[in-house]
Amino acid sequence: MSVRPNSAPKSLLQDRSVPCCSCSLKDTSSTKPFCTLHKSWLQLQESIIEKDHQINSLCDQVSRLQVYKGESNRKDKLIVSLREEITELNKSMQDKKIRIVTVEDE
């Protein structure tokens, strides 16, 4: 399974040098809780990471299913070809009135 690195959100979390409000992101030594804006931002980041993992998983499943689809199409063509061959052989046998002798008949 191919997983893309998710380093961007972590690096953004660690960069506290850009003040944007009065919450603890502004001061690295502060123990104040995050403001509502930053809580929402963190939740969005977690959601994006989760969705990214889901997309990667779905891409892997699509790739796996494409292999099965190709194999199924190949087998469908083979079945059609074999059915046509059976029809031709039956017609040929009827035209020539060939009687198949089985082991039991002998």
Side-chain angles (χ1 to χ4, degrees):
M1 177 161 90
S2 62
V3 178
R4 295 182 297 199
N6 294 314
S7 58
K10 291 179 185 175
S11 65
L12 289 174
L13 275 176
Q14 293 169 353
D15 183 17
R16 296 182 178 204
S17 61
V18 181
C20 59
C21 67
S22 62
C23 78
S24 62
L25 282 181
K26 190 168 152 183
D27 182 11
T28 57
S29 63
S30 174
T31 57
K32 289 192 275 184
F34 290 137
C35 67
T36 307
L37 173 69
H38 284 104
K39 284 181 184 177
S40 297
W41 182 69
L42 291 172
Q43 289 171 345
L44 284 174
Q45 280 186 324
E46 289 173 4
S47 177
I48 289 170
I49 291 169
E50 180 183 333
K51 297 300 179 196
D52 190 49
H53 288 299
Q54 290 174 352
I55 289 170
N56 285 332
S57 176
L58 289 173
C59 288
D60 290 342
Q61 288 179 13
V62 165
S63 297
R64 183 178 53 85
L65 291 174
Q66 284 176 336
V67 171
Y68 289 125
K69 182 180 179 182
E71 191 67 17
S72 176
N73 288 338
R74 185 188 67 79
K75 289 178 181 179
D76 286 344
K77 289 177 185 176
L78 179 62
I79 288 169
V80 168
S81 173
L82 290 172
R83 283 183 177 161
E84 289 172 356
E85 187 177 340
I86 288 171
T87 302
E88 289 173 13
L89 288 172
N90 281 334
K91 184 179 179 192
S92 174
M93 284 175 49
Q94 287 176 354
D95 290 346
K96 294 180 181 180
K97 295 184 180 180
I98 296 175
R99 182 172 180 259
I100 306 256
V101 179
T102 63
V103 176
E104 296 169 356
D105 292 343
E106 293 180 351

